[in-house]
Structures are given as C-alpha cells and as structure tokens.
Amino acid sequence: MSGGRQPESGDVLVITRAASVQFVVPIYFRVIRVPGWETYHGWLWLEGYELDGRGEAKERRHIFVQLDGLRWVRPRPVVRPRPRAAGANQRLSGRPAGG
C-alpha cells in the first residue's frame, strides 16, 4: 500500500488488481512522470515503462490507477557523487600526474 506516498520519476511499482481491475496479471512499471491530469479523487495517470522479467523496458504506457493500490518494489536509488581519483585535476590540465 502507498500510505499516501506519491509516485515519482524513477520509482518502480508492481501494479496489481488492487490498483485497477484491468491488471488481473500484475506488471512491473517504472515511472517516467505523473502527468497531473485532473481525474477522480484517489486515482491518477502514470506515464512510464512496463518492465520485462529482467527489469528492462518492454513497452511505454500510460496507465490509470488508484493511488492506494500501488506497491513500491524498491526504494529509489540514492545518487552519490563519485570519488575523485588522486591527481585528476593534473591530468585534466595536461600536466603529467605526480609531476
């Protein structure tokens, strides 16, 4: 269940019958965006990709679902800055590393 959480770009959801009766067979869905189109209370449109068994995009879709029926598969990835290699500034400036 969502607990009032709103889907965001990058979220991966499992969409089941709890979200809409059309999903008798559950699908995995990666959200591209939530268009924000006006609709019934508790319902929303999602734009994204249906995922295959490997987690790869299979088909781009717009789906109409109940917010309370959404299930998040995993948390969104945390983006951390990459550590800089020693001497990176020197290499970029054209000077030899260590000299």
Side-chain angles (χ1 to χ4, degrees):
M1 294 294 182
S2 72
R5 179 177 172 189
Q6 294 287 320
E8 298 178 19
S9 178
D11 286 343
V12 176
L13 308 169
V14 61
I15 308 295
T16 67
R17 194 174 178 93
S20 176
V21 295
Q22 66 182 312
F23 297 103
V24 175
V25 176
I27 66 167
Y28 287 88
F29 191 81
R30 183 173 51 236
V31 178
I32 296 173
R33 70 184 188 102
V34 182
W37 299 326
E38 191 171 325
T39 185
Y40 299 103
H41 179 75
W43 288 79
L44 68 156
W45 283 96
L46 298 175
E47 180 179 353
Y49 289 100
E50 181 177 346
L51 305 177
D52 65 16
R54 297 183 318 261
E56 299 293 323
K58 177 171 130 176
E59 180 182 355
R60 188 168 181 160
R61 299 181 63 173
H62 283 93
I63 60 174
F64 187 57
V65 293
Q66 292 184 72
L67 181 60
D68 285 343
L70 298 179
R71 286 187 15 218
W72 276 254
V73 173
R74 58 185 159 97
R76 291 181 24 189
V78 175
V79 178
R80 295 189 178 107
R82 295 170 69 185
R84 295 178 61 128
N89 287 338
Q90 292 174 345
R91 284 194 300 272
L92 293 176
S93 68
R95 293 185 208 139

